[in-house]
């Protein structure tokens, strides 16, 4: 569904902050808790809520309903206040996805789609419960983009993820003993195969005592593990993105786009957009618990940037138990998952008043405060819930 037409270019975006002209905003209906093996849930989800992550288990109906109201309101503000063209995905019964095994949600399109220049890239999801997510919810939008491009005589490309044939091997050697299937066999050394070490050539140079929750047997990546800074994409390895996934992305991107890997220090890494937040060209806010200024400066694209650590730890802020629904899948660093409308305007959750005032006073930003706590409960905020399809030139 398209809410407003006011741009002739179907896709064109190479950064996170140029004037926004068109975007996808997700849909929360029928969302389920992701169902992945226990070791993956332990690696990525808050401990308190681990029991909720089981097959075909829906999020509470009131939270989903209010999340859809928040998404609808967000879409209205984008169209009516800013004149932005908004696409909405098809409503999907996620309990019937994956041949009845269950899916996740249509509320977080950033995880599965990314526009780089005039190319749309679909993620090679690591999570089995997300197989078919883009096909089910976003095919109409992708087909519309191609149709509009043909009418305009523009050359655009939609790079669909390859189909996984047979058994998904990403968890081979990583499952808990109780999860092993009869056909699972140990490695030749007689011990379980480990995941990707953090000190692998493409990963962190820092020694750590853990490995990722997936191996490197096939390409895997979520688009939300990457951000665009002109012709340079900055990404990270994570519990859902492996070296082969990075190699795949490099192979499908058109010239002159390149991918560089940021070495983070986040044990629970999954999606870079709650670790770094570019406000405008030359200014970036980051989580100092997950990445250092030294590491950011290692990348030429940030050489002359104003790099600001968030000067407080959101996890240490006190809040009343009844202030909002549970954050089933996220930490309070979700505050950095904001979305820029342009270099002067940013959208944040309305309860993040300390963050909003800091952006206004420190950077002179116009802050649009919108309700989004129920969407937060499903696993993301404004950046996660969108895909920017068209951004103007700076």
């Amino acid at each position: 569904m398209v809410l407003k037409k006011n741009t002739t270019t179907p896709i064109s975006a190479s950064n996170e902050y140029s004037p926004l002209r068109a975007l996808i905003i997700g849909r929360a209906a029928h969302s389920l808790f992701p169902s992945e093996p226990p070791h993956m849930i332990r690696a990525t989800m808050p401990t308190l809520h681990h029991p909720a992550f089981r097959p075909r288990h829906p999020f509470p109906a009131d939270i989903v309903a209010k999340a859809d109201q928040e998404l609808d309101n967000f879409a209205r503000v984008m169209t009516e206040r800013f004149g932005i063209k908004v696409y909405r995905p098809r409503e999907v019964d996620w309990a019937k996805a994956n041949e009845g095994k269950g899916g996740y949600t249509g509320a977080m399109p950033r995880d599965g789609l990314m526009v780089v220049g005039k190319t749309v890239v679909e993620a090679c999801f690591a999570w089995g419960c997300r197989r078919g997510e883009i096909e089910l919810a976003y095919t109409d939008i992708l087909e519309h983009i191609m149709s509009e491009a043909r009418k305009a005589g523009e050359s655009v490309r939609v790079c669909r993820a390859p189909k996984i044939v047979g058994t998904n091997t990403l968890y081979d050697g990583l499952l808990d003993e109780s999860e092993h299937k009869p056909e699972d066999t140990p490695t030749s050394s007689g011990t379980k195969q480990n995941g990707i070490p953090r000190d692998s050539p493409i990963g962190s140079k820092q020694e750590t005592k853990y490995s990722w929750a997936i191996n490197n047997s096939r390409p895997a990546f979520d688009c939300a593990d990457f951000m665009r800074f002109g012709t340079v994409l900055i990404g990270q390895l994570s519990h859902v993105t492996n070296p082969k996934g990075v190699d795949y992305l490099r192979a499908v991107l058109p010239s002159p786009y390149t991918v560089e890997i940021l070495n983070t220090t986040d044990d629970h890494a999954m999606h870079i957009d709650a670790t770094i937040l570019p406000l405008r060209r030359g200014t970036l806010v980051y989580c100092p618990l997950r990445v250092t200024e030294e590491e950011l400066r290692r990348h030429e694209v940030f050489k002359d940037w104003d790099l600001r650590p968030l000067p407080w730890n959101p996890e240490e802020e006190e809040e009343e138990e009844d202030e909002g629904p549970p954050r089933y899948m996220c930490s309070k660093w979700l505050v950095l998952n904001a979305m820029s409308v342009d270099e002067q305007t940013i959208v944040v959750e309305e309860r993040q008043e300390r963050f909003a005032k800091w952006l206004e006073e420190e950077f002179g930003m116009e802050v649009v405060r919108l309700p989004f706590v129920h969407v937060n409960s499903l696993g993301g905020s404004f950046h996660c819930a969108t895909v920017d399809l068209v951004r103007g030139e700076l």
Side-chain angles (χ1 to χ4, degrees):
M1 178 174 65
V2 183
L3 296 188
K4 189 177 182 75
K5 288 188 176 182
N6 66 345
T7 180
T8 57
T9 301
I11 57 166
S12 180
S14 294
N15 62 53
E16 309 288 332
Y17 38 79
S18 293
L20 187 59
R21 302 286 184 251
L23 81 164
I24 301 171
I25 294 178
R27 192 181 299 279
H30 313 298
S31 296
L32 305 179
F33 284 90
S35 176
E36 292 298 308
H39 80 283
M40 172 62 80
I41 301 304
R42 289 195 302 270
T44 57
M45 299 298 146
T47 303
L48 176 65
H49 302 297
H50 285 181
F53 293 85
R54 58 184 189 271
R56 295 180 298 280
H57 181 210
F59 283 94
D62 62 324
I63 289 178
V64 172
K66 291 176 181 177
D68 258 335
Q69 292 172 8
E70 291 168 350
L71 289 161
D72 291 346
N73 178 64
F74 180 29
R76 281 192 296 272
V77 171
M78 291 297 98
T79 56
E80 296 173 7
R81 178 171 173 178
F82 295 101
I84 293 169
K85 181 176 182 178
V86 175
Y87 295 82
R88 305 299 302 277
R90 182 188 304 165
E91 183 173 326
V92 176
D93 184 348
W94 296 106
K96 298 178 180 178
N98 295 314
E99 299 178 342
K101 296 177 183 176
Y104 168 34
T105 187
M108 307 296 163
R110 180 79 58 171
D111 301 354
L113 292 170
M114 171 172 53
V115 173
V116 181
K118 292 186 179 295
T119 298
V120 183
V121 179
E122 179 183 353
C124 298
F125 281 128
W127 286 3
C129 67
R130 305 196 78 167
R131 287 196 198 183
E133 183 174 306
I134 301 303
E135 183 72 25
L136 289 169
Y138 299 95
T139 294
D140 292 349
I141 295 174
L142 297 178
E143 289 178 348
H144 179 79
I145 286 171
M146 293 303 294
S147 174
E148 291 297 297
R150 285 191 294 269
K151 291 177 184 178
E154 292 199 21
S155 177
V156 304
R157 185 165 65 110
V158 176
C159 185
R160 301 301 302 266
K163 300 292 185 182
I164 299 174
V165 179
T167 304
N168 188 0
T169 59
L170 281 178
Y171 296 139
D172 285 2
L174 297 169
L175 300 176
D176 295 345
E177 291 300 328
S178 61
E179 297 174 284
H180 277 283
K181 299 175 183 178
E183 64 270 25
D184 289 337
T185 57
T187 62
S188 57
S189 64
T191 59
K192 288 176 65 177
Q193 178 185 349
N194 292 322
I196 309 160
R198 285 295 300 270
D199 57 358
S200 62
I202 200 170
S204 172
K205 296 179 181 178
Q206 303 181 19
E207 292 186 4
T208 59
K209 296 182 180 180
Y210 70 97
S211 297
W212 300 120
I214 57 174
N215 61 38
N216 199 35
S217 60
R218 70 151 174 94
F221 71 93
D222 279 14
C223 293
D225 266 331
F226 300 87
M227 281 190 164
R228 301 150 302 173
F229 298 86
T231 58
V232 176
L233 275 67
I234 298 293
Q236 67 175 8
L237 293 181
S238 75
H239 291 291
V240 293
T241 295
N242 63 16
K244 283 189 176 180
V246 176
D247 290 342
Y248 172 91
L249 182 58
R250 285 174 172 150
V252 301
L253 290 180
S255 176
Y257 294 96
T258 60
V259 180
E260 298 179 11
I261 295 301
L262 191 69
N263 296 323
T264 62
T265 56
D266 181 8
D267 291 8
H268 304 288
M270 188 180 76
H271 303 162
I272 202 170
D273 53 1
T275 296
I276 58 175
L277 170 61
L279 299 178
R280 57 173 71 106
R281 181 172 52 184
T283 305
L284 179 141
V285 179
Y286 66 95
C287 168
L289 301 182
R290 297 175 177 176
V291 69
T292 65
E293 180 178 349
E294 179 184 10
E295 171 57 22
L296 288 163
R297 299 250 181 238
R298 187 175 65 84
H299 298 270
E300 184 68 22
V301 69
F302 297 135
K303 182 179 179 180
D304 300 320
W305 278 46
D306 180 9
L307 304 176
R308 301 285 191 95
L310 190 69
W312 70 90
N313 184 348
E315 295 287 359
E316 296 176 354
E317 291 186 294
E318 294 184 5
E319 62 182 9
E320 296 298 327
E321 191 76 20
D322 59 357
E323 281 192 358
R327 283 181 297 274
Y328 292 110
M329 301 177 63
C330 304
S331 78
K332 293 182 185 179
W333 282 101
L334 192 66
V335 65
L336 296 185
N337 197 252
M339 189 202 74
S340 292
V341 175
D342 54 43
E343 290 198 295
Q344 297 298 324
T345 311
I346 193 166
V347 185
V348 306
E349 212 292 318
E350 65 178 4
R351 301 191 189 194
Q352 298 290 350
E353 188 58 26
R354 182 179 183 183
F355 183 56
K357 287 184 177 178
W358 184 68
L359 293 175
E360 291 169 338
E361 296 171 1
E362 194 72 18
F363 304 101
M365 302 287 290
E366 177 185 351
V367 179
V368 180
R369 297 162 171 84
L370 295 179
F372 227 57
V373 290
H374 297 89
V375 178
N376 294 170
S377 192
L378 304 184
S381 200
F382 294 101
H383 197 260
C384 287
T386 57
V387 177
D388 37 0
L389 297 175
V390 181
R391 284 190 179 271
E393 298 295 327
L394 289 175

